[in-house]
């Protein structure tokens, strides 16, 4: 049984209730009554497992967190208000002034800006490398390096990292590896490949219909014997490990970030995301199949298509070896110029022009004039952003309809 089939059973059985209301309850209260001062004390010291305050957790959100942790074989999860909030929580929970990040591969524009512009203001340095620049990645590690960060699939440059190889580098150096798995839930399992923390924008394919903004961070368990997080590099974790054992990364993230930054998930958004999860194992295989059919057909007609399933892609063999369940919803078309890209987008009848990805409908966006408009030429080149680049996120439509529409839009 493949992972998609397995999760079809796990998700619907985890989400629905066998008694009372079948659908999960939406608990929209911001605060919770403790009843007695003794219970209040126990909630705050962690000995009583009841809701404290919705900024620190909500019963509806806790349901989502439980399912997300199960999906990735994690020890637990924290849902957040957006995907960028998830990245912020995961990284800032391990960082202090003077620390360093190694960022690998093509990055979503918001993530690149967060590393390069925002946290640099607080004395945190990030070095950026291509996924295959292994020697320089290893040489960049210093005593101040706290995180290696990568996307499971470069968005939008479509380059594929060798996650196992990079995980070995991180683990040999006792450095935390964080993987943004937004594009490849279920199909890639970063914690099993050696990652420590996984981040998601659940707004994308997980919810799947543009109705709910959200994010999630999934954590692995701390090893009770020997663990990188028990070394001097992460000395600040010692008190959390002493108090929470294998769960330590979760209270660390909640107390060092969630409590004070307040990027908490909204109960209604968590509920909508849970509903999206029920059908994720059905939607994603169809979309992955659509992507392969569409990219092959469009490339065969002479369009400049970038996707690892194509023989022309530099990571095609890696795709076959490590991404047997696909690499998500994305591919790109390079129309060479901004004018030709705009003409394509105007003529397409099926594509919705938007900055989102992972929807049930096909989406498209010209990269250079939108998300990456403020980036300098050198950075755009590193991230694979050309003047005519259009990012496509394939939906559930009939693949031949998409092919016909795109060929017409490209005037072929």
């Amino acid at each position: 049984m493949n992972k998609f089939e397995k999760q079809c059973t796990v998700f619907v059985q985890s989400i629905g209730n066998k008694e009372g209301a079948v659908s999960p309850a939406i608990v929209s209260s911001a605060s919770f009554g403790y009843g007695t001062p003794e219970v209040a004390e126990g909630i705050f010291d962690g000995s009583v497992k009841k809701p404290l305050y919705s900024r620190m957790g909500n019963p509806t959100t806790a349901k989502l967190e439980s399912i997300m942790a199960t999906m990735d074989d994690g020890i637990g999860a924290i849902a957040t208000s957006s995907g960028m909030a998830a990245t912020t929580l995961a990284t800032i929970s391990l960082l202090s002034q003077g620390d360093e990040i190694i960022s690998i591969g093509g990055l979503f524009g918001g993530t690149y800006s967060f590393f390069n512009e925002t946290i640099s203001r607080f004395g945190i340095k990030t070095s950026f490398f291509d996924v295959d620049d292994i020697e320089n990645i290893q040489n960049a590690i210093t005593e101040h390096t706290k995180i290696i960060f990568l996307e499971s699939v470069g968005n939008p440059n479509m380059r594929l990292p060798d996650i196992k190889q990079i995980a070995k580098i991180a683990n040999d150096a006792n450095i935390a590896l964080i993987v943004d798995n937004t594009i490849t839930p279920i199909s890639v399992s970063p914690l099993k490949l050696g990652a420590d923390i996984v981040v998601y924008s659940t707004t994308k394919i997980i919810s799947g219909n543009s109705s709910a903004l959200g994010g999630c961070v999934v954590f692995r368990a701390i090893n009770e014997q020997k663990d990188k997080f028990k070394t001097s590099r992460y000395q600040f974790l010692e008190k959390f490990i002493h108090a929470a054992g294998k769960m330590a990364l979760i209270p660390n993230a909640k107390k060092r970030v969630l409590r004070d930054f307040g990027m908490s998930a909204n109960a209604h958004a968590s509920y909508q995301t849970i509903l999206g999860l029920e059908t994720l194992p059905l939607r994603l295989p169809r979309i992955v199949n659509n992507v392969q059919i569409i990219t092959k057909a469009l490339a065969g007609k002479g369009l400049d298509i970038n996707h690892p399933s194509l023989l022309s892609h530099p990571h095609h063999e890696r795709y076959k070896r490590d991404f047997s369940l696909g690499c998500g919803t994305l591919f790109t078309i390079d129309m060479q110029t901004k004018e030709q890209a705009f003409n394509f987008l105007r003529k397409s009848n099926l594509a919705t022009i938007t900055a989102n990805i992972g929807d049930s409908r096909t989406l498209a966006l010209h990269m250079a004039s939108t998300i990456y408009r403020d980036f300098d030429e050198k950075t755009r080149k590193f991230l694979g952003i050309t003047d005519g680049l259009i990012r496509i996120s394939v939906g559930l439509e009939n693949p031949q309809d998409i092919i016909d529409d795109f060929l017409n839009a490209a005037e072929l």
Side-chain angles (χ1 to χ4, degrees):
M1 182 185 296
N2 71 35
K3 289 198 286 186
F4 291 127
E5 287 296 324
K6 177 183 177 182
Q7 297 294 8
C8 280
T9 300
V10 171
F11 284 168
V12 296
Q13 289 296 314
S14 299
I15 292 168
N17 299 311
K18 293 290 196 298
E19 186 176 343
V22 174
S23 186
I26 304 174
V27 181
S28 59
S29 182
S31 61
F32 303 91
Y34 307 138
T36 69
E38 290 79 14
V39 170
E41 181 182 38
I43 289 171
F44 275 77
D45 70 21
S47 61
V48 175
K49 303 303 179 185
K50 288 185 176 181
L52 186 155
Y53 187 67
S54 273
R55 177 160 49 83
M56 295 295 287
N58 169 283
T60 306
T61 297
K63 181 87 168 180
L64 170 62
E65 291 167 343
S66 174
I67 300 164
M68 291 293 293
T70 298
M71 179 181 77
D72 273 343
D73 293 307
I75 191 68
I78 299 175
T80 60
S81 56
S82 70
M84 280 308 305
T87 296
T88 302
L89 182 140
T91 53
I92 296 299
S93 68
L94 299 178
L95 296 170
S96 298
Q97 185 179 25
D99 288 340
E100 298 175 1
I101 301 170
I102 292 173
S103 178
I104 300 171
L107 287 180
F108 163 62
T111 306
Y112 184 88
S113 296
F114 174 66
F115 287 160
N116 192 54
E117 298 175 17
T118 302
I119 60 174
S120 63
R121 303 201 316 264
F122 302 95
I124 296 168
K125 174 187 174 184
T126 303
S127 301
F128 299 91
F129 299 94
D130 179 72
V131 293
D132 292 328
D133 198 3
I134 298 300
E135 183 177 351
N136 285 329
I137 290 168
Q138 291 176 311
N139 292 337
I141 294 172
T142 74
E143 62 179 324
H144 301 293
T145 306
K146 288 288 203 311
I147 292 170
I148 295 178
F149 185 98
L150 60 86
E151 293 181 341
S152 61
V153 180
N155 171 15
N157 72 4
M158 300 306 301
R159 292 178 67 76
L160 303 180
D162 186 332
I163 299 176
K164 282 185 179 179
Q165 182 182 26
I166 295 169
K168 186 177 187 308
I169 293 170
N171 292 330
D172 287 348
N174 286 323
I175 294 170
L177 175 61
I178 301 177
V179 176
D180 184 338
N181 205 40
T182 294
I183 298 175
T184 49
I186 303 177
S187 52
V188 173
S189 300
L191 297 185
K192 288 186 176 181
L193 297 174
D196 302 292
I197 300 173
V198 186
V199 298
Y200 291 95
S201 169
T202 58
T203 313
K204 311 303 192 292
I205 189 66
I206 287 175
S207 60
N209 57 19
S210 295
S211 66
L213 191 67
C216 196
V217 186
V218 182
F219 303 87
R220 71 161 175 86
I222 298 291
N223 191 298
E224 294 179 358
Q225 304 303 318
K226 184 180 180 182
D227 198 288
K228 68 175 69 172
F229 291 118
K230 294 181 177 179
T231 64
S232 59
R233 193 183 297 267
Y234 303 99
Q235 190 171 4
F236 60 89
L237 277 170
E238 184 177 348
K239 63 179 180 180
F240 295 104
I241 293 173
H242 177 74
K246 62 184 180 180
M247 300 282 291
L249 289 175
I250 297 170
N252 170 67
K254 284 190 172 184
K255 291 189 176 181
R256 296 190 91 209
V257 186
L258 188 68
R259 178 185 62 188
D260 300 330
F261 285 67
M263 65 273 281
S264 317
N266 174 276
H268 289 260
S270 294
Y271 172 77
Q272 289 170 293
T273 303
I274 289 171
L275 297 186
L277 269 171
E278 286 190 326
T279 60
L280 175 62
L282 296 174
R283 291 182 283 110
L284 193 51
R286 175 177 172 84
I287 290 173
V288 166
N289 187 56
N290 277 0
V291 169
Q292 294 185 352
I293 293 170
I294 293 163
T295 53
K296 183 177 180 181
L298 296 181
K301 291 293 185 179
L303 283 171
D304 188 352
I305 305 297
N306 183 18
H307 190 267
S309 65
L310 299 175
L311 288 170
S312 58
H313 194 281
H315 294 148
H316 178 67
E317 291 302 317
R318 188 174 294 167
Y319 175 79
K320 291 196 300 182
R321 185 190 73 204
D322 298 339
F323 293 81
S324 60
L325 296 178
C327 62
T329 69
L330 301 183
F331 72 91
T332 63
I333 305 174
D334 195 336
M335 297 302 295
Q336 311 309 318
T337 67
K338 174 183 173 180
E339 291 71 26
Q340 291 185 98
F342 275 32
N343 285 336
F344 176 93
L345 292 171
R346 278 192 290 263
K347 290 195 66 177
S348 172
N349 293 316
L350 288 184
T352 299
I353 303 172
T354 180
N356 197 23
I357 59 174
D359 201 281
S360 293
R361 55 201 56 78
T362 294
L363 315 175
L365 190 69
H366 178 246
M367 294 281 94
S369 64
T370 56
I371 294 172
Y372 298 89
R373 64 175 297 108
D374 296 329
F375 289 37
D376 60 43
E377 186 176 345
K378 181 180 178 182
T379 303
R380 286 190 193 181
K381 184 177 180 180
F382 170 72
L383 296 174
I385 310 302
T386 58
D387 290 342
L389 192 73
I390 298 172
R391 183 184 67 189
I392 305 293
S393 177
V394 173
L396 296 171
E397 301 95 341
N398 178 277
Q400 190 59 51
D401 289 340
I402 299 173
I403 292 166
D404 293 341
D405 179 69
F406 283 10
L407 290 176
N408 178 66
E411 300 178 344
L412 293 177

